Every structure is written in structure tokens, then in C-alpha cells.
Amino acid sequence: MSTVKRFFAPLIALFRLHLVALIVVAVLVLLYTVIGFFAVPQIARAQLESFVTEKMHRQVSVGEIRFNPFVLDASIGGLVVREADGSPVVGFRHLYVNAQLASIWQRAIVLKEVDLSAPDIDVIVAKDGTVNLAKLAPESEKPTSEQPTALPKVRIERLDIRDGRIGFTDNTRAQPFTAVVEPIKFTLIDFNTDADYQNAYDFSGTTLAGEHLEWVGAFTVQPLGSTGRFKVQDLKAATIDSYAEDMLPFQLASGHTTFEGNYRFAMTPTLGLEATLPLLQVRDLAIKERKATTAPVKLPVVDVHEIALSYEKREIGMQRIDVKDAHIEGAREADGTISWIRLLGGHSSEAKQAATSAQAPSPPAPTGTAPEKAPSESAEWRIHADTIQFSEATVLVEDRTVKPTAKFALAPIALTVNGWSTDPSAKVQVDTEVTINQKGKLVSKGDVQLEPLSAQLAVELTEFPLPAIQSYLNEMTSMTLHSGRLGVKGDVSFAAQPETAQPLRFKGEVRVADLRTTDQLVNEDFIKWRTLAVTGIDFSHNPDKLDINRIVARQPYGKVVISKDRTLNVTKVLSPEGAPTPTPAAEQEDTAENNDEHPDAKQASAKKPDDSDSKQAKAQAKPASSGATSGPMFPVRIKTVQFIDGSANFADYSIEPSFATGILELNGTVTGLSSDPKSRAKVKLDGKVDKYAPVDIGGEVNLLSAAVFTDVSMNFRNMELTTFNPYSGKFAGYNISKGKLSTELKYHVEDRKLDASHHIVIDNLEFGDKTDSKDAAPIPLKLAVALLKDRHGIIDLNLPVSGTLDDPKFRLGPIIWKALLNLLTKVVTAPFAALGALFGGGEELAFVDFPAGSSELPASQAEKLNTLAKALIERPQLKLSVPLTVVSAQDSEAIARAALQDKLPPDTSTEPPKDDAAKRQRIAVLEKVYKEITKSAPNYPPETQTDKGIDYDARLKFLEQSLIDRLKPDDAALTALAQQRARAVQDTLLANTELNPERVFITTQRSEGKAEDHQVRMELKLE
């Protein structure tokens, strides 16, 4: 028995020991179990509530907390952290964590599984910019060391977040921004904080608006970095706009975008971020002004291909941007503001800077780390695109500053930009094709550089409808542009250089076809042409130059009208609302100075085209006389100007009846036009006036400096004078019944000195009815015409004019009119002098001298009358009046003396006696005749008897005078003498049988002539 006890005693002792151990273990296990299952959740709850309340100053509510001490998993249900006002901040429905015992020997936090369901986070940014989540962090004590704390080792085999929600509210904006992402899903596989360990993740989320985000990849904790891919679907423009409202001057009214790509992020130690997006799609984007009801910018399709972003290089590159079916509307408002500028907030320069200098936002750094500033961070971002292409775009533009509103529809537009970059020195290749108002087309291609601004473009504009600019013409003219097509083709270059003007150059051609304009005031054609081609244009600014190789105008037409108020239609049409340009005071003074020429000289000069030339010459002369100097003239050279089948109309309604004429079939060229004062342009033009009157213009002239040199001749032939009846009736006082006009006009100007000749030939001019015009020239015009018209009905005049253009009173129109008026006045006031100048005899042709008391023509007077007869034959419209002319005293005495001589003996000398004997004999003869006549002896007066005897001289004088007085003829005899003289003149003239007797008249009234040297002078008159 004892042996048995001894044998089992050790076993019993060992059993007791193990039993105690088991009991202890059991108690410990029980205690562990009780603490793990019951105490830990309570302690955790208490600690959590205490921490949130005391450290975070927030409210917390926690649902069931479980902990399994045997498998080391824990779960928390229904946790919500609230603000002091009770609003939720962070919460979740359930959290499950499964830890591993390996945490002990691996000296790390090792979690097999973390599962978070329905997390709910509300991120709120206060008005002061603080974030509510940042306030959840407990107040930390002041660190004892500036050395950063090493990251704990953490390993998580799997982390799942599902059914999550993130709400975001930003109160820093004028209108708070709110967004919600729900549901959220996040998966993290095999997480490890070891250096360079790639932690795989998968994140996805959807907003209430249906926007979807996917983010898949891997990241490292040490160093912080990540690579992966992302995808955003249906990101609404309204979402972006509501958040960026304060930063955008415009509103993103509608649209959505989808994009995906890859990224690489690293802190080594500076921030490195690169991303590539194969395609970014924007659909139905609409942009408008805030509070506006319509969107002026609509972009249905925008595709951006191959986007590459590099934060280190601060560069965003795009391979291609495709914009399809864009629709853009813009307007210039009545106050001058531009809607596009207003759309950008009125700060176009700031918008440009924002577009070119914007910096990509940096991703937030992890708590406790601060990324070092990259060396290039201060540099501007460079954004560039290899190709930007707009296709089938539409731009509608309205200009409301003019009436009616000018509207331009640019559609479709095809625009390709290659090499675009925010780098100012970059050159951009531009290729554009635009249709304008469904008819015109603009094509341009070339290079553009922004800084310094320069461009080299090939431009071609075809079929541009010119009536589209009518609203702008209304602002400047009273002209309606009914049709016209503009074409431009050439190369344009522009280069802005610092501290200089902006050089501009164009080389090419301009064409305008089927232009037709009308005068709005009378609704008649004003200017039109079939085609106008300006080719070989070489224009530049700085240096200034315009060279044109050729200008060809086909079927050009223009109309010049003088209205009833004597204003030119050109002045009215080229003024807004038909307001004529006021006459300068200087011109009015010049007109007043010419009032002494003729009452209508100033009116005629105001209407004649020559007057405009004189005004221009005067305007050019004034600066020279005053010593003023003007700036250099813009150098212009035009090689050839050609007119083909041109025409023009001139009408004058200032006279009654009105006057109108036209020029047709105008053809010719002007070559060598230049602003160089030394240049000489050759002019050769021909045409017709009123269909049948040829006109030609030729010579040399500096048209751009006509006052320097002009040598031009203008010939008009076979012009119907009846065309000018309105002017004839007004200024001549008679209508014209027939006649033709031919002129040869020559103008020579050199060094501002004018020598002009006007050869005027009028054929068969006949006047009709008298008009009784108050403005008629105060001369017997019919007489003047008769004096000037030869036997063939031709009037041949030469009117030379000379002067200096520097004379402020020199005006060509009035001078020509004055020369013609002076000529006519001279002719009618001295008609015989005019005939004498043509046929000889001078002014003496007007006079016929007879011996006193005789009707016999001396030979010299007969010869003079023969000359006059020839002149009358050459001037068949002239009529000659021969007056009954006597000088009563001289003719009576001459007749009486002749009668006395007949009564004396034939041998009686007519010489006065010299001695007394001869005197006594003479007295005796005279006494005999006295007695025969008076039947009585003479009764001598006492003074004939002196103390010395008889005064024979006194008696002779008494006897002779007494006899002469008794022998003088009566009035009838004198009239008969006058008639004999008139018939003698008539007979002598009509001895030339070519002279029609009906043209020589003897007047019935006797007139007193003039006596000179015992001669009686008869003065003839012409009619």
C-alpha cells in the first residue's frame, strides 16, 4: 500500500500542479475572455467618448462595439461624430478590423482585414477658410524635438470601403458650393508602409448628378508616391461652374465631360506629377453671361487627344484639339461694348493672363510633411497643342452701333492651328476657311507670332457681298449699295517692333465686280461698274509706299448732279443724311472778289469742272505763299490705269429747263501715275458725248501733283449745241435751235505757272426763242454770233489763258468765262474793228468820208467799201445799215460856194485877190451877181468905208457871205444829198454781186454826221 502511494505520490503532486496551472490558465482565459468580450468594448467606448468629447470637443454616438480576443477582430457599428450643434461630421455604419498576432514579433501593426461599410463624411469649409475635419485632430503638445517622427510599420492584407458617402460644402464663396459623392467604393490590397512597397488600390465613386469617378493603381508610403489610372465620366459643367463661380467671369450653363488617363506622382523630395490622357471629351458645352437667358457660345463636340501633363516641367501638351459644330454669337452693343469682352468679365487682358499663366493645383501633402518648392515652381506654365481644329463652326456677329444692325454670318468655319503655345515666341501656323453670309469665302494660311506680334499670311477673299456693309455706309454717306462682290488675294505681313511704328505690308490684288450704288436722295444710279481689278499691289507702312501695277475698270459709270440749290450730289451723297459740306469762308471770299466780272461768272465757275481744279491749285498754293511746310506725301505709283467702255452722266437742275448730258464708250489708259513731282503720267482717253460727239484726252500730267506739271489736250468734236439749251437760255438769253461744237483745249502747267489755249469751233449756230432770262449776258449776242460766224456757218475762236496758281484769285473757270465774255463784248462794241482785224481796214471800215456838199465817193472810200463787202460776204448773217448822213453847216456852205462859183464867169479865179485892182475887179463881178439874185444893189455896212477910203477886203467878205447865205440849199436838198450818198455807198457795196442786196439797208431818217477837214463822215452800222 505504501509502495503504491509512493508510486502515485509524484503523479498526484504533478497532477495537482497541473490542475492548479489549468485552473490558473482557465481563470486567466476566463478573465481574458471576459475582459476581451466585455471589458474591452466598454473601455473602448469610454475612451472613445472621452477622447472625442474632451480632446476633439465634439459629440459622438457609438452603436455596438465587439471584440473577439481569440481571433483579434473588432467591430464597431453606428458611429457618428457630431459638431457641438449636432450636425454630423464623420460616421459609418460598421467597421470591422481583424488583427494578426504577427504584429508582436514583426513589431508592426499587422491587419488581415479592414472592412468599413457606409462611411459618411461631411467636409465643410467655413467662411474663414477653415476645414471642419482639420478641427477633429486633437490638440497636440509642443514637440520636444524637431526631428520628424518615423512612420509606424503597418501591414494590411485587405481594406475594403463600400457604400460610402462624402459630402462637401464650401462656404467661402458668395453662393455656398455643395457636392455629394455616393456611393463610394475603395479597396486596398496588401498594404505595407515599407519603403518602395507598391500598395494596390481601387477607388470608385458616383455623385448625385450621376458623375462617376474611377481611380485604380498603386502607391508607396516611403517615399510618398503613386501610379495608376483614373477615369471621370459625365462630369457636369454645372458642377464645375458652381464651384468655380467666383473664379470664372462667365457661366458654364450646360455640358459634360469624360476623360481617363494614367498618372505618376512622387515626392522625391520635391513634388513630381505626370499624367497622360488619351482622350478628353466635352459634349454640349454652353457658356453664357451670368444671369443671362441665352448662351452665346455652344460647343457640341470638343475632343482633346493625347494630353500630357508634367508638374516638374510645368507643361501641358496636347496632340490635337477637335472642335466640331461650334456655334458662337457676339455683338457690339449700341454703347460700344463688345459681348465677348463682357463675357470675359470685361478684363480681356486678365483673362488672357489667366489662360496662359495658370498654374496647375498641387495635390495636398500628407499631414506632417511639406513638399519642397520645385526650382521651376515660380516659372509660368507652358501649354501647347500640336493641332487645334475647328470644323463646321458658326460665328454670328452683330454690330448694333449702326442702323440697321449690321449682321455677319460666318458659317461654316474651318480653322486649323498648328504649333499653338503659350510661349510668346512660338510661331503658330494658321489655316482658315470661312464662308461669309453664305456667299463670300475667306481663306488664309500662314504663320503668326504673339511676341513680338508678327504675322505672315496668304489671304484670299472671294465673292464677299458688299451690301453687307450698307449700315456702315449709312453712317458716312447717303448712298445705297445694291450689289457688289469684293475679292482680295495676296500676302499680308505684319511685324510689331519695339519703339517703332508697326510695319505692315500687303502684296496682291483687289477686285470688285458688279458694283451698283444709288443716291438715296433721288433713288438714281450714282456709281457703278462691271469689274474693277487692281493688280500688282505692293503696299507697305513704315516705310510708306503704295505701288500698283495695273487698274482696269470695265464699264465704269458715274453721275454728277447739280441740285436746284446748286449743291453737288457728290457732296451730298458722300455726307451722312445728305448734308452738304459747308463752303469754306475762303472760297466765299474768292467768289465775292469775282462779282465784278459778270453776275453769273461766280455761278458758272461753281458749276464748271475746271473750278474744282482751280480750288485744288489754290489750296496747294496757300501753304507755299504762307511759308508753311507740310509733311512728306505718301509715295504712290500706279503703272497703268485702264478704262474700258466707261460712261458718265451730268445733270444740272439749278437751271430751268434742267440740263443733262452723258459720256459714253470711254476707253483709254493712264500710265505712269506717281506722287513724285518729277513724274509724268501719260493720258490717252477717248469717248463720246451723247453717242455721236467724239472726245479724246491726251498728254502728260502729274495727276497726284497736277500743279507741278500738266501738259494735256482735250478735244471734243461734233457736240450738239441744243444739248446746252438750258445754259444758253439762262446765260445767253436765247435757246439754241441748232448747231454743233468742237473744241481743242490745251493746258500746260509747269512750276505752278499755267498757259492754256482754248480753240473753240461752233458750226451753224442758230438761236431760237428769246428766254428773257435775268441772268443773260448784257450784250447783243446775236450780233456777236453774226460777227464771228463765217460764210460757212463756222465760228472759230481762240481763248488763251495764263496765270500763276499761287495767285489766290486765280480760278480757271471764272477766267475762261471772263475771257469769253470780254471777247464777245469787244466784238459787239467794236464790230467793224473785229471785221477789220479779220479782213483788213481796221476800225475805219465803219466810216465812209464824203467831200462836204458832195455825194461822190473818193477812190479810197470805194476801196474801203469793197473790203467791207468782202467781209460781209464772209459773214452772211450780218446786215448793214447805211444812214442818210449830212453835216448841215458844212454841206450847206459847200453847196452854196459851188453855186456861187457856177454864177461867176468861167475864167474867174477861185484864189483870193492880192492887190487892190484885182480886189476891185472881184467886187465888181460879185456885185453883178448880187444884183441878179437880189434885184438890188448891195447895201454895204459902214465899216467897209474908212477915212482912208474903201476897205476892199471887208466888202469882198460881205459880198461873198451874203451871196453864200442866199445860195444855201434848203432842207429837202440836204436830204437829197444824204440819199445820194447812201445810194452811192449801197451801189459800191452791191457792185460785188456775191453780196445779197437784202443785207444792205438805207435808213429813212436823216442823221447828222461828223465833219473833219472839209470831209463829212458817214458811220455805218451792223446788225
Side-chain angles (χ1 to χ4, degrees), residues 750-996:
E750 193 161 2
D751 295 330
R752 303 186 63 79
K753 293 181 179 179
L754 170 69
D755 288 311
S757 64
H758 306 83
H759 184 199
I760 302 171
V761 177
I762 301 175
D763 187 5
N764 285 307
L765 171 64
E766 296 291 343
F767 286 112
D769 297 334
K770 188 175 180 64
T771 62
D772 295 328
S773 171
K774 296 180 180 179
D775 299 318
I779 57 174
L781 195 64
K782 283 191 173 183
L783 174 59
V785 170
L787 285 165
L788 295 173
K789 186 188 296 186
D790 66 14
R791 65 190 302 179
H792 303 293
I794 304 298
I795 297 176
D796 195 325
L797 300 177
N798 284 291
L799 296 176
V801 173
S802 62
T804 173
L805 302 185
D806 291 327
D807 184 355
K809 295 183 179 180
F810 182 88
R811 295 172 62 194
L812 190 58
I815 287 178
I816 295 175
W817 170 251
K818 185 176 182 179
L820 178 60
L821 191 62
N822 287 343
L823 173 63
L824 296 176
T825 303
K826 185 177 181 180
V827 165
V828 297
T829 54
F832 287 97
L835 290 178
L838 293 173
F839 304 103
E843 295 182 2
E844 293 300 316
L845 284 181
F847 307 107
V848 180
D849 294 331
F850 289 91
S854 174
S855 61
E856 183 178 353
L857 273 173
S860 61
Q861 302 303 305
E863 183 179 353
K864 185 190 299 184
L865 289 174
N866 287 332
T867 301
L868 178 59
K870 293 178 182 178
L872 291 173
I873 292 171
E874 293 299 322
R875 294 293 183 267
Q877 288 191 332
L878 285 175
K879 296 179 181 180
L880 182 69
S881 294
V882 182
L884 302 181
T885 304
V886 293
V887 179
S888 300
Q890 284 82 352
D891 279 328
S892 295
E893 185 170 344
I895 291 173
R897 287 185 181 277
L900 177 61
Q901 190 65 32
D902 290 339
K903 292 182 179 295
L904 296 177
D907 58 348
T908 302
S909 174
T910 58
E911 295 293 329
K914 296 181 179 180
D915 53 23
D916 290 343
K919 293 177 181 179
R920 285 193 297 269
Q921 184 179 0
R922 175 79 172 174
I923 290 172
V925 172
L926 291 176
E927 285 179 345
K928 182 180 179 179
V929 174
Y930 186 88
K931 291 177 180 179
E932 292 177 356
I933 294 174
T934 63
K935 306 301 182 182
S936 63
N939 183 16
Y940 293 107
E943 58 266 21
T944 60
Q945 182 70 40
T946 64
D947 296 338
K948 296 180 179 181
I950 297 173
D951 186 346
Y952 297 111
D953 290 330
R955 287 197 172 188
L956 280 173
K957 184 177 179 181
F958 170 77
L959 285 172
E960 287 179 354
Q961 189 61 47
S962 296
L963 289 172
I964 288 173
D965 290 340
R966 286 169 172 77
L967 292 175
K968 283 183 178 180
D970 58 11
D971 189 70
L974 290 176
T975 300
L977 175 63
Q979 292 173 342
Q980 292 169 2
R981 286 173 173 173
R983 282 193 292 269
V985 171
Q986 185 183 50
D987 292 343
T988 303
L989 290 170
L990 296 179
N992 193 325
T993 57
E994 293 185 61
L995 180 61
N996 190 337

Side-chain angles (χ1 to χ4, degrees), residues 223-224 265-272 311-312 365-366 369-375:
L224 182 61
F265 165 75
M267 292 295 298
T268 56
T270 59
L271 172 63
Y311 184 82
E312 291 177 319
T369 64
E372 296 182 10
K373 190 173 183 179

Side-chain angles (χ1 to χ4, degrees), residues 710-723:
T710 298
D711 190 3
V712 171
S713 63
M714 295 180 286
N715 301 320
F716 297 84
R717 297 179 296 279
N718 200 39
M719 296 176 64
E720 289 289 348
L721 282 174
T722 53
T723 304

Side-chain angles (χ1 to χ4, degrees), residues 564-799:
K564 289 185 177 181
D565 59 1
R566 299 178 181 175
T567 58
L568 275 175
N569 68 322
V570 177
T571 303
K572 287 185 176 181
V573 173
L574 299 182
S575 301
E577 300 180 358
T581 304
T583 303
E587 295 182 14
Q588 295 175 358
E589 293 173 1
D590 293 341
T591 304
E593 291 172 358
N594 289 299
N595 284 347
D596 58 344
E597 298 173 1
H598 182 265
D600 296 293
K602 59 182 180 180
Q603 298 172 4
S605 65
K607 298 178 180 64
K608 293 180 180 291
D610 293 338
D611 190 38
S612 61
D613 297 336
S614 65
K615 289 179 182 179
Q616 181 179 2
K618 178 182 175 183
Q620 295 174 351
K622 285 186 177 181
S625 62
S626 62
T629 59
S630 59
M633 182 180 293
F634 193 99
V636 178
R637 288 187 293 272
I638 304 175
K639 186 175 181 181
T640 303
V641 179
Q642 182 177 7
F643 299 93
I644 301 175
D645 199 16
S647 60
N649 274 336
F650 173 77
D652 188 349
Y653 298 114
S654 67
I655 57 177
E656 293 184 2
S658 60
F659 169 80
T661 188
I663 298 178
L664 304 173
E665 300 179 23
L666 181 63
N667 293 275
T669 59
V670 179
T671 59
L673 281 172
S674 175
S675 57
D676 184 354
K678 298 180 181 179
S679 68
R680 303 289 185 264
K682 295 183 179 180
V683 179
K684 183 173 178 57
L685 300 172
D686 60 78
K688 293 181 180 179
V689 176
D690 285 340
K691 295 184 180 180
Y692 306 110
V695 56
D696 62 80
I697 303 172
E700 294 185 350
V701 62
N702 188 328
L703 289 179
L704 303 180
S705 299
V708 176
F709 181 84
T710 298
D711 190 3
V712 171
S713 63
M714 295 180 286
N715 301 320
F716 297 84
R717 297 179 296 279
N718 200 39
M719 296 176 64
E720 289 289 348
L721 282 174
T722 53
T723 304
F724 302 97
N725 250 340
Y727 292 111
S728 173
K730 182 177 179 66
F731 299 114
Y734 292 92
N735 288 325
I736 298 175
S737 59
K738 73 172 184 177
K740 290 186 179 289
L741 170 68
S742 297
T743 65
E744 294 179 3
L745 312 177
K746 294 183 179 180
Y747 296 93
H748 183 86
V749 178
E750 193 161 2
D751 295 330
R752 303 186 63 79
K753 293 181 179 179
L754 170 69
D755 288 311
S757 64
H758 306 83
H759 184 199
I760 302 171
V761 177
I762 301 175
D763 187 5
N764 285 307
L765 171 64
E766 296 291 343
F767 286 112
D769 297 334
K770 188 175 180 64
T771 62
D772 295 328
S773 171
K774 296 180 180 179
D775 299 318
I779 57 174
L781 195 64
K782 283 191 173 183
L783 174 59
V785 170
L787 285 165
L788 295 173
K789 186 188 296 186
D790 66 14
R791 65 190 302 179
H792 303 293
I794 304 298
I795 297 176
D796 195 325
L797 300 177
N798 284 291
L799 296 176

Side-chain angles (χ1 to χ4, degrees), residues 450-500:
L450 296 179
E451 189 175 323
L453 182 61
S454 63
Q456 290 183 340
L457 298 172
V459 178
E460 182 174 7
L461 175 66
T462 57
E463 300 295 322
F464 175 76
L466 286 175
I469 66 172
Q470 179 62 51
S471 298
Y472 299 98
L473 292 179
N474 292 341
E475 298 291 305
M476 302 176 289
T477 71
S478 298
M479 178 175 65
T480 299
L481 206 165
H482 295 276
S483 65
R485 304 188 307 277
L486 172 65
V488 179
K489 184 178 181 180
D491 296 325
V492 178
S493 62
F494 174 84
Q497 299 177 0
E499 299 179 0
T500 66

